[in-house]
């Protein structure tokens, strides 16, 4: 079957014009479709990148680098970010390779189509003009023939009647006949010209013009085909990378190990402390059977406790016992009784201002708070990490040792590089001055010496921590009981154990030792004048009660020891530094960590506390 538009569609000029116009409209619609799709891909890539950045773990969160499920999620976010990069690349290819090319080609196609159809219209106008000329000569020839025939009839009739008029009529008929003959010749000429023009139009001009239009249409369709192929090929190029990203996501999911994560929790939060022992029976009937001598002994010890409960503002301690966090589990690092105090503390300057602007009773409270704040300020974390629990201390020291080893390795590499450079300069002086490297070499050697000294010091601390941890484990296996398991009555037994400890038994749960209290007697004697201000003060009224949630050993001045489940009276609320002042049996007062107790304030005392704060 022939598919030549010039022969098959020689009479469909208007339909071809409409069809080609619709084809260009379709090309523009397809270009707009590709552009909108590229915009969607670009917007999708931006949203995916924003989502990945939003949920990407922060660098400050060290916990997320320990667990496999956190690492898997981080790897998934990285692969998702890589997917957004591939989507952006796809959008860029669609815009540059398809949209821009189709836009340019559409303009060229419109210009070419306009030229072809202008040629077609000129050919159509030419054949129409030839046809009009033929029709004009035909009508003129017809008219002249009819006039010549009428003139001949008139001449024949006049000849019969009058010879003179007949001669004149014959001349007129002859003229009409000659005019008809000339019209006939013009008609024949016009007919031949029209036939020639018509043959040239339908067999030469129209096939050529229509063939050009057909070629133009085929090129348009082929360009659409290439654009669709390029679009699919552009997306196929990113599929391998997308597939690798999805495979990486699958590998990250497969790499999650629940057992390892749970073991990591043990490694992070294990404190090394012994669990509490059995609670001993508290015989409250023993007070009824006390002798007079026992009563006098208790009175003497009570008097000593009253003297020991004074709070010194400038006393120096090895370290104050900071309050633990509010977490109910005291077994981890963050929940250890020896963990660092919270950062939110009441500023000493604020306490001094309260001291200067408050009344008598409130001034005494401010002095007590000032002394407690100074005690906390003076207690900084030791370099040997003795403030941490045993297990966490060992891990902290091991981490420091690893970091120091890395720094030593870097310094050694830098030293070796400088030595090699000095050798090169000595062999080839034109390359540089070897003496200019000496200051840097001395600096590196000094830094290396400091790091090695620090490494030996940390290794000694680690050996000490390991030995104490092993001794602690041996005592635990042999059935030895710690201070927590020996706690009995809150008023006598626990404090008696604290008072009668030998220097070797003063070891804290984390394996560190507290200073001997005899070293502070000289400082206390010089502070006796300041202490006299608190000897005659009246005891503060109780503003509520509290119940201890965990045992606490008050090893520092101004603190009060307590056992788990003990009921105490609240004398002073927490002022923001994590400590609450409590009283036991109207005799012993001291500060305990707020997170170790549960406070029940009286309704009448709440208003008094608020009013005293306003003053």
């Amino acid at each position: 079957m022939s598919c030549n538009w010039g022969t098959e569609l020689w009479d469909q000029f208007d339909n071809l014009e409409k069809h080609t116009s619709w084809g260009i409209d379709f090309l523009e619609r397809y270009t707009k479709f590709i552009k909108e799709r590229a915009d969607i891909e670009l917007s999708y890539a931006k949203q995916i990148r924003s989502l990945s950045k939003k949920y990407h773990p922060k660098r400050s969160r060290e916990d997320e680098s320990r667990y496999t499920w956190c690492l898997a999620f981080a790897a998934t976010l990285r692969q998702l970010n890589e997917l957004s990069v591939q989507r952006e690349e796809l959008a860029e290819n669609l815009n540059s390779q398809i949209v821009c090319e189709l836009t340019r080609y559409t303009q060229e196609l419109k210009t070419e189509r306009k030229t072809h159809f202008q040629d077609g219209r000129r050919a159509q106008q030419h054949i129409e003009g030839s046809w009009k000329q033929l029709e004009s000569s035909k009508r003129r020839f017809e008219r002249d023939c009819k006039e010549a025939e009428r003139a001949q009839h008139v001449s024949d009739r006049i000849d019969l009647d009058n010879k003179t008029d007949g001669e004149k009529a014959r001349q007129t008929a002859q003229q009409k006949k000659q005019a008809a003959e000339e019209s006939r010749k013009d008609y024949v000429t016009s007919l031949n010209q029209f036939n020639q023009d018509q043959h040239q139009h339908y067999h030469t001009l129209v096939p050529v013009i229509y063939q050009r239009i057909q070629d133009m249409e085929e090129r348009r369709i082929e360009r659409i085909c290439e654009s669709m192929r390029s679009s699919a090929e552009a997306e196929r190029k990113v599929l391998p990378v997308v597939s690798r990203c999805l495979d990486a996501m699958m590998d990250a999911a497969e790499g999650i190990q629940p057992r390892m994560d749970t073991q990591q929790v043990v490694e992070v939060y294990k404190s090394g402390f012994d669990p509490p022992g059995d609670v001993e029976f508290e015989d409250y009937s023993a007070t009824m059977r006390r002798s007079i001598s026992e009563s006098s002994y208790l009175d003497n010890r009570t008097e000593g406790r009253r003297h020991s409960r004074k709070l010194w503002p400038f006393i120096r301690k090895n370290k104050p016992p900071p309050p633990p966090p509010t977490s109910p589990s005291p077994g981890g690092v963050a929940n250890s009784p020896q963990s660092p105090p919270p950062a939110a503390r009441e500023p000493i300057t604020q306490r001094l201002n309260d001291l200067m602007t408050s009344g008598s009773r409130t001034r005494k409270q401010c002095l007590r708070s000032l002394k407690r704040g100074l005690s906390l300020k003076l207690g900084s974390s030791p370099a040997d990490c003795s403030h941490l629990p045993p297990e966490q201390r060992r891990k902290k020291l091991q981490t420091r040792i690893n970091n120091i080893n890395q720094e030593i390795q870097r310094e050694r590499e830098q030293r070796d590089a400088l030595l090699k450079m000095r050798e090169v300069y000595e062999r080839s002086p034109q390359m540089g001055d070897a003496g200019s490297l000496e200051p840097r070499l001395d600096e590196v050697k000094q830094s290396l010496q400091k790091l090695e000294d620090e490494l030996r010091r940390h290794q000694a601390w680690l050996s000490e921590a390991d030995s104490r941890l092993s001794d602690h484990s041996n005592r635990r296996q042999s059935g030895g009981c710690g201070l927590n398991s020996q706690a009995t009555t809150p008023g006598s037994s626990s404090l008696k154990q604290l008072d009668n400890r030998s220097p070797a038994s003063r070891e804290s749960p984390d394996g560190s030792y507290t200073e001997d209290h005899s070293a502070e007697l000289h400082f206390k004697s010089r502070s006796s004048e300041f202490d006299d201000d608190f000897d005659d003060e009246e005891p503060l009224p109780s503003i509520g009660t509290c119940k201890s949630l965990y045992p606490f050993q008050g090893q520092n001045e101004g603190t009060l020891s307590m056992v788990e489940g003990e009921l105490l009276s609240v004398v002073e609320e927490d002022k923001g530094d994590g400590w609450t002042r409590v009283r036991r049996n109207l005799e012993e007062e001291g500060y305990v960590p707020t997170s170790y107790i549960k406070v029940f304030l009286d309704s009448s005392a709440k208003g008094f506390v608020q009013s005293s704060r306003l003053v």
Side-chain angles (χ1 to χ4, degrees):
M1 181 179 179
S2 177
C3 60
N4 190 347
W5 284 9
T7 57
E8 301 296 332
L9 302 177
W10 60 270
D11 56 345
Q12 299 297 324
F13 182 83
D14 295 335
N15 290 331
L16 288 179
E17 187 176 11
K18 294 178 181 179
H19 177 77
T20 53
S21 177
W22 174 76
I24 292 178
D25 293 340
F26 177 84
L27 183 61
E28 290 178 342
R29 287 177 55 220
Y30 181 75
T31 304
K32 187 177 180 181
F33 161 76
I34 296 296
K35 186 177 183 303
E36 291 182 358
R37 182 189 173 186
D39 294 340
I40 292 174
E41 294 287 348
L42 187 61
S43 176
Y44 174 73
K46 290 181 179 179
Q47 293 179 6
I48 288 296
R49 176 178 284 105
S50 177
L51 180 67
S52 176
K53 184 178 180 181
K54 177 181 178 181
Y55 287 94
H56 198 276
K58 304 297 184 296
R59 293 182 178 179
S60 59
R61 294 295 303 273
E62 298 180 358
D63 295 340
E64 297 191 359
S65 62
R66 295 187 180 127
Y67 304 107
T68 57
W69 45 275
C70 292
L71 296 176
F73 181 63
T76 301
L77 292 178
R78 288 193 297 271
Q79 299 303 323
L80 199 62
N81 187 67
E82 182 64 25
L83 286 179
S84 67
V85 173
Q86 299 304 316
R87 290 298 173 184
E88 286 182 347
E89 183 178 354
L90 175 60
E92 181 65 23
N93 292 335
L94 290 177
N95 280 323
S96 61
Q97 298 179 5
I98 299 178
V99 176
C100 295
E101 292 295 329
L102 286 182
T103 303
R104 181 184 57 82
Y105 177 73
T106 301
Q107 298 299 326
E108 296 177 356
L109 188 64
K110 288 181 178 180
T111 303
E112 183 181 1
R113 174 182 175 276
K114 182 179 180 181
T115 301
H116 294 330
F117 279 95
Q118 284 179 351
D119 294 341
R121 287 191 183 90
R122 282 195 295 267
Q124 189 72 24
Q125 290 174 0
H126 179 73
I127 194 65
E128 289 178 356
S130 180
W131 172 257
K132 289 180 181 179
Q133 186 177 1
L134 176 61
E135 288 292 327
S136 176
S137 60
K138 180 181 177 180
R139 286 194 298 271
R140 187 169 60 253
F141 172 63
E142 182 181 3
R143 185 180 65 252
D144 291 343
C145 288
K146 290 181 179 179
E147 290 180 355
E149 186 177 359
R150 282 197 304 270
Q152 186 64 36
H153 284 291
V154 171
S155 175
D156 294 341
R157 191 172 57 252
I158 291 176
D159 286 342
L160 296 177
D161 297 337
N162 188 353
K163 293 183 180 181
T164 303
D165 293 336
E167 185 63 24
K168 186 176 181 179
R170 282 195 300 271
Q171 291 178 358
T172 302
Q174 188 65 29
Q175 292 176 355
K176 295 293 184 181
K177 186 175 180 181
Q178 289 178 358
E181 187 65 25
E182 291 178 359
S183 299
R184 177 178 174 277
K185 291 179 181 181
D186 292 339
Y187 172 67
V188 171
T189 302
S190 298
L191 180 61
N192 292 333
Q193 184 65 35
F194 174 76
N195 290 332
Q196 183 179 357
D197 293 341
Q198 181 175 257
H199 185 273
Q200 184 180 6
H201 177 78
Y202 289 109
H203 293 84
T204 303
L205 295 178
V206 169
V208 172
I209 294 174
Y210 283 15
Q211 185 63 39
R212 293 174 182 174
I213 297 175
Q214 184 179 0
D215 294 341
M216 179 193 69
E217 183 69 11
E218 290 177 358
R219 288 196 307 272
R220 181 190 66 83
I221 298 173
E222 182 65 26
R223 181 57 64 92
I224 293 176
C225 175
E226 292 178 359
S227 300
M228 291 182 178
R229 190 184 300 112
S230 299
S231 175
E233 188 65 26
E235 190 164 3
R236 180 177 293 177
K237 286 181 180 179
V238 303
L239 286 181
V241 182
V242 173
S243 179
R244 287 196 298 269
C245 293
L246 295 177
D247 293 339
M249 292 182 185
M250 292 293 296
D251 295 339
E254 294 294 335
I256 298 177
Q257 300 180 10
R259 177 65 63 179
M260 182 182 296
D261 290 338
T262 54
Q263 292 177 357
Q264 187 65 27
V265 174
V266 176
E267 293 294 329
V268 172
Y269 296 109
K270 182 180 178 181
S271 65
F273 291 150
D274 290 335
D278 297 336
V279 179
E280 296 183 1
F281 175 73
E282 300 180 4
D283 190 3
Y284 292 99
S285 63
T287 58
M288 297 184 297
R289 298 191 299 270
R290 288 178 182 173
S291 62
I292 299 176
S293 60
E294 291 176 343
S295 300
S296 62
Y297 169 74
L298 291 176
D299 292 339
N300 294 333
R301 194 175 65 174
T302 302
E303 187 65 26
R305 287 174 183 169
R306 287 182 178 178
H307 182 72
S308 63
R309 71 183 178 90
K310 298 169 185 177
L311 302 180
W312 291 92
F314 308 109
I315 195 70
R316 184 179 64 85
K317 283 294 178 181
N318 180 31
K319 59 188 174 95
T326 57
S327 176
S329 59
V333 177
N335 303 330
S336 172
Q338 303 297 332
S339 59
R345 298 175 180 172
E346 186 178 0
I348 297 180
T349 55
Q350 180 66 30
R351 296 176 184 172
L352 289 174
N353 294 332
D354 295 342
L355 176 63
M356 301 302 297
T357 59
S358 59
S360 175
R361 179 176 296 275
T362 309
R363 186 173 303 165
K364 294 179 180 179
Q365 297 177 1
C366 292
L367 284 174
R368 297 189 188 97
S369 179
L370 174 61
K371 290 186 291 183
R372 180 181 55 191
L374 285 175
S375 177
L376 293 178
K377 291 288 184 182
L378 294 175
S380 59
S381 300
D384 59 351
C385 301
S386 59
H387 65 289
L388 295 176
E391 187 69 23
Q392 300 303 321
R393 182 192 181 195
R394 183 185 63 81
K395 293 177 182 178
K396 186 68 174 180
L397 291 174
Q398 186 63 49
T399 302
R400 290 184 180 179
I401 290 175
N402 295 335
N403 295 335
I404 294 173
N405 285 327
Q406 293 178 1
E407 294 181 4
I408 290 176
Q409 182 64 25
R410 287 194 294 267
E411 293 293 334
R412 287 176 178 174
E413 292 175 357
Q414 189 174 4
R415 181 195 60 186
D416 297 340
L418 290 173
L419 291 175
K420 291 181 180 180
M421 189 179 297
R422 187 177 66 179
E423 293 177 0
V424 172
Y425 288 171
E426 290 175 352
R427 289 195 302 265
S428 303
Q430 66 275 10
M431 296 185 65
D433 185 11
S436 62
L437 300 177
E438 292 300 330
R440 181 56 181 163
L441 273 173
D442 295 339
E443 182 181 352
V444 172
K445 289 179 181 179
Q446 291 177 3
S447 178
L448 191 59
Q449 183 64 31
K450 291 180 181 179
L451 289 174
E452 290 176 351
D453 295 341
E454 188 175 357
L455 178 62
R456 286 192 293 270
R457 186 166 61 253
H458 279 77
Q459 288 176 347
W461 291 338
L462 181 61
S463 300
E464 178 188 357
D466 289 338
S467 61
R468 291 184 179 179
L469 191 60
S470 60
D471 294 342
H472 192 67
S473 300
N474 293 335
R475 290 197 303 268
R476 181 179 176 181
Q477 293 176 0
S478 61
C481 298
L483 292 176
N484 293 337
S485 62
Q486 295 176 357
T488 56
T489 61
S492 60
S493 299
S494 61
L495 293 179
K496 184 177 181 180
Q497 293 167 3
L498 292 173
D499 295 336
N500 296 334
R501 287 183 301 173
S502 62
S505 63
R506 289 202 311 270
E507 183 178 359
S508 60
D510 58 352
S512 61
Y513 290 87
T514 58
E515 293 182 358
D516 192 358
H517 293 282
S518 62
E520 300 171 358
L521 294 178
H522 180 65
F523 182 82
K524 288 184 178 180
S525 63
R526 291 191 299 174
S527 306
S528 59
E529 295 180 0
F530 186 80
D531 182 47
D532 293 340
D533 296 337
F534 292 91
D535 289 340
D536 299 333
E537 64 173 305
E538 298 178 358
L540 295 175
S542 174
I543 61 173
T545 59
C546 67
K547 180 179 180 181
S548 60
L549 303 177
Y550 312 105
F552 174 70
Q553 302 295 336
Q555 301 177 1
N556 293 75
E557 186 71 26
T559 58
L560 182 66
S561 300
M562 61 181 179
V563 296
E564 184 178 356
E566 185 176 0
L567 294 176
L568 302 172
S569 299
V570 179
V571 179
E572 183 181 343
E573 250 191 325
D574 186 1
K575 292 183 176 296
D577 52 7
W579 295 89
T580 301
R581 187 177 182 184
V582 298
R583 178 187 299 142
R584 178 191 290 122
N585 299 332
L586 298 177
E587 298 174 352
E588 296 180 86
E589 280 189 14
Y591 288 95
V592 296
T594 305
S595 57
Y596 272 45
I597 60 175
K598 185 175 183 181
V599 181
F600 306 94
L601 293 179
D602 297 338
S603 59
S604 60
K606 292 182 180 180
F608 172 75
V609 172
Q610 295 177 357
S611 62
S612 63
R613 288 180 179 175
L614 293 175
V615 174

